[in-house]
Amino acid sequence: MKPGRNDPCPCGSGKKYKNCCLEVERRRSESPDTLAWTRVRRAIKDMPALLGRFVAEVYGPAAVEEAWDEFMVWDGPEFDPDSPLTSLFMPWFYHCWEPDPSEETSVAEPLHGRTPTSVFLERHAGRLDPLLERYLGACVATPFSFHEILRCDPGRGLRTREVLTGEEHEVLERSASESMTAGDVLFGQLVPIEGIALVEACGPYALSPAEKIAIIELREQMERAPPMAHDFGGPLRNWSIEIRELHLRLIDRFLDPQPPVLHNTDGEPLKLQRVLFDVDDAERALAALKHAGADEATDAQVERAADGRLERAAFSWTKAGNSMHSTWENTVLAHVEVTAARVVVHVNSDERARAFRDVVERALGPAARYRGSEVVERDELDAELEGVEDGVASEDLAALPEVRERLNRMFEQHYADWPTQELPVLGGRRPIDVVQEPNGREKVEALIADMERHATRTNPTVGAAVLARLRERLGLTRA
């Protein structure tokens, strides 16, 4: 029977089992990579504190502000220790920042053009743990860049590919592997040491597969550029400013979140509103407006009083086709209500509000008096959406088989048309064309990977089949 942790060790040493052979047995059962990871982590556990004290004493308190300004590409807020970027910035500060004599700096001249970690190694030569010394040297030699997650083993590590160079690493990282997903792109510094790679620095925000396109475009720019007059240590160092600048642009939505700008199906900024008119003759208004301005109007739903007087009529105003969706047969431009003394036009943009005001005034002239527009506030809209239709709650309505079937057909049609749509993210080009270009397969693959993530959450059953057909059409079928 195996001894307990606090039992005497069976080897006869007189020590407790946990302090003797248990540790030896545990090490034997671990893989060489895990043992290497343990050795390195033990050797570097005090490194941040050592470097922090050294930089404060040797470089002075103003150095961190200067380094932060450069890290933010000279266009950001002042340094804040509580910034979400601090954990990314500090390793960059130690291992990559070099005080620039061409800029205004408070750092003494002997330290110009040298990273704090390099100076630390020089001044502590022969007095450091050899493994720590090798690790710090690897930190100085390793640039920051974008790394795509190819495989994730939760609790153990990651397989990554550096997007700008194609270099791959097996990364041992327990905490990050718990939260990352294959397809994510992280920005940071992966340091090779002892046959493994460790995450020395990692940005706080994972980038989506679709955001990889901007990184590929930077790679293309780097490949087209003529050789630099001064090589600072490879392409990643030569382009380090542009790389950081791109990272800051890609995470701006996290650092400075803005409410989404919504548009209607014609691409106009969304603004739900009611355009109001007083009318003298409801019957005349209904007859004149049903066929004025737009291409067609649906049959009106008319409610009349016992004596035949019109109490309420409602119809939709539509036009043929759609400027942004080539397969649409028509577009609903407005919903119109006519009552005994008023016309109310429900529209979703200022452009449509102005257009229908012109239509109503041309059709009815002085018989219609414009009373203004009322914006539909969010809480009012939410209240309407939470209502019931024909006694069926909205969430129950979406669960009806016929409604679900209609939504599935719309989903399938959207992705059937997608390869031939001109997409802004691809520079206004069509996926079916881009996939034929150098790097085009990688770009389109990134978009489809992003769509697969969304489909998994919103429509997993239909989404998998539809996107598999999409991949086959574009020649991106997975092995």
Side-chain angles (χ1 to χ4, degrees):
M1 189 175 82
K2 186 174 180 178
R5 288 171 51 82
N6 292 310
D7 290 342
C9 187
C11 74
S13 66
K15 298 179 182 179
K16 289 184 178 181
Y17 179 53
K18 67 181 180 182
N19 296 326
C20 190
C21 290
L22 176 62
E23 180 67 14
V24 174
E25 292 169 3
R26 184 186 64 80
R27 289 182 180 179
R28 284 176 181 164
S29 67
E30 291 180 337
S31 69
D33 285 354
T34 302
L35 291 173
W37 182 88
T38 302
R39 287 197 305 272
V40 175
R41 297 305 304 180
R42 184 182 298 118
I44 68 174
K45 62 183 177 64
D46 296 326
M47 181 186 71
L50 289 172
L51 288 172
R53 287 195 297 270
F54 175 79
V55 170
E57 293 170 2
V58 175
Y59 285 77
V64 67
E65 295 284 356
E66 293 179 23
W68 173 262
D69 198 32
E70 184 173 334
F71 177 76
M72 297 298 290
V73 197
W74 303 279
D75 185 24
E78 293 183 356
F79 176 66
D80 178 1
D82 295 325
S83 166
L85 295 180
T86 297
S87 61
L88 181 69
F89 162 68
M90 294 307 295
W92 180 89
F93 174 32
Y94 296 147
H95 311 318
C96 300
W97 180 64
E98 299 176 352
D100 187 350
S102 67
E103 302 286 338
E104 193 171 318
T105 178
S106 63
V107 177
E109 184 176 348
L111 303 173
H112 292 177
R114 305 169 68 197
T115 67
T117 300
S118 298
V119 177
F120 176 84
L121 282 170
E122 178 185 285
R123 297 192 181 185
H124 291 79
R127 292 181 288 144
L128 297 172
D129 181 317
L131 186 52
L132 171 60
E133 191 168 347
R134 291 199 302 276
Y135 183 78
L136 288 172
C139 288
V140 173
T142 305
F144 278 57
S145 190
F146 297 96
H147 303 269
E148 178 184 9
I149 308 300
L150 302 179
R151 188 190 71 248
C152 189
D153 299 326
R156 183 182 185 280
L158 313 161
R159 179 74 181 179
T160 68
R161 178 188 295 125
E162 209 285 306
V163 182
L164 295 173
T165 67
E167 185 176 353
E168 295 190 8
H169 290 287
E170 285 289 344
V171 182
L172 295 188
E173 174 54 48
R174 293 174 180 173
S175 59
S177 63
E178 295 282 3
S179 58
M180 304 293 285
T181 303
D184 286 343
V185 178
L186 62 87
F187 179 78
Q189 187 182 40
L190 306 185
V191 178
I193 182 77
E194 297 287 291
I196 59 174
L198 270 63
V199 178
E200 169 63 11
C202 179
Y205 310 111
L207 303 174
S208 71
E211 288 167 310
K212 181 181 167 186
I213 293 175
I215 307 169
I216 297 170
E217 290 172 346
L218 175 60
R219 186 178 73 205
E220 293 172 333
Q221 184 182 349
M222 294 165 64
E223 291 169 349
R224 291 193 302 267
M228 293 190 173
H230 302 286
D231 191 326
F232 296 101
L236 298 183
R237 291 198 184 278
N238 293 335
W239 289 76
S240 61
I241 294 175
E242 290 82 0
I243 291 170
R244 292 200 312 281
E245 193 170 37
L246 175 58
H247 172 245
L248 291 171
R249 176 161 63 83
L250 291 175
I251 65 170
D252 184 63
R253 61 190 172 94
F254 298 108
L255 298 176
D256 185 23
Q258 299 292 325
V261 178
L262 303 178
H263 297 82
N264 64 18
T265 54
D266 280 328
E268 300 158 350
L270 198 68
K271 184 178 179 181
L272 303 179
Q273 54 195 290
R274 293 181 285 261
V275 187
L276 310 176
F277 298 86
D278 289 339
V279 295
D280 298 325
D281 187 333
E283 293 286 0
R284 180 192 167 199
L286 177 61
L289 292 176
K290 276 193 64 177
H291 301 289
D295 294 338
E296 57 180 300
T298 58
D299 291 337
Q301 297 176 333
V302 180
E303 300 173 8
R304 295 186 179 277
D307 60 2
R309 287 183 298 104
L310 186 147
E311 289 189 332
R312 180 182 178 276
F315 59 91
S316 296
W317 227 332
T318 68
K319 69 174 182 179
N322 182 268
S323 60
M324 298 185 70
H325 302 273
S326 59
T327 60
W328 286 20
E329 296 180 0
N330 56 56
T331 303
V332 176
L333 298 177
H335 296 284
V336 183
E337 290 184 83
V338 180
T339 61
R342 174 161 284 191
V343 170
V344 182
V345 183
H346 300 262
V347 293
N348 61 16
S349 71
D350 284 334
E351 290 82 355
R352 291 181 182 179
R354 288 191 291 269
F356 284 115
R357 178 180 177 182
D358 292 342
V359 167
V360 172
E361 290 179 344
R362 284 199 307 270
L364 297 177
R369 294 171 294 284
Y370 174 65
R371 293 303 185 194
S373 295
E374 296 178 349
V375 175
V376 179
E377 300 295 342
R378 177 61 186 267
D379 55 352
E380 183 180 355
L381 177 63
D382 289 344
E384 292 180 10
L385 294 176
E386 291 171 1
V388 296
E389 181 172 327
D390 296 331
V392 181
S394 56
E395 59 268 24
D396 295 334
L397 190 66
L400 293 174
E402 59 271 26
V403 175
R404 198 164 58 243
E405 177 62 25
R406 171 63 176 163
L407 292 173
N408 288 343
R409 286 200 303 271
M410 291 172 63
F411 182 87
E412 292 179 357
Q413 185 62 55
H414 170 74
Y415 286 109
D417 296 335
W418 186 81
T420 57
Q421 296 293 317
E422 296 177 346
L423 305 181
V425 71
L426 295 176
R429 292 167 298 155
R430 306 184 307 168
I432 202 166
D433 299 324
V434 172
V435 78
Q436 306 299 325
E437 302 171 358
N439 298 317
R441 291 175 63 87
E442 193 176 1
K443 293 176 183 178
V444 176
E445 170 68 43
L447 285 178
I448 295 178
D450 211 57
M451 293 190 293
E452 286 171 335
R453 287 191 174 190
H454 291 292
T456 298
R457 292 193 295 267
T458 60
N459 200 338
T461 304
V462 177
V466 169
L467 290 169
R469 290 197 296 272
L470 178 61
R471 283 183 174 278
E472 185 174 359
R473 181 179 176 187
L474 291 167
L476 297 173
T477 305
R478 286 173 170 162

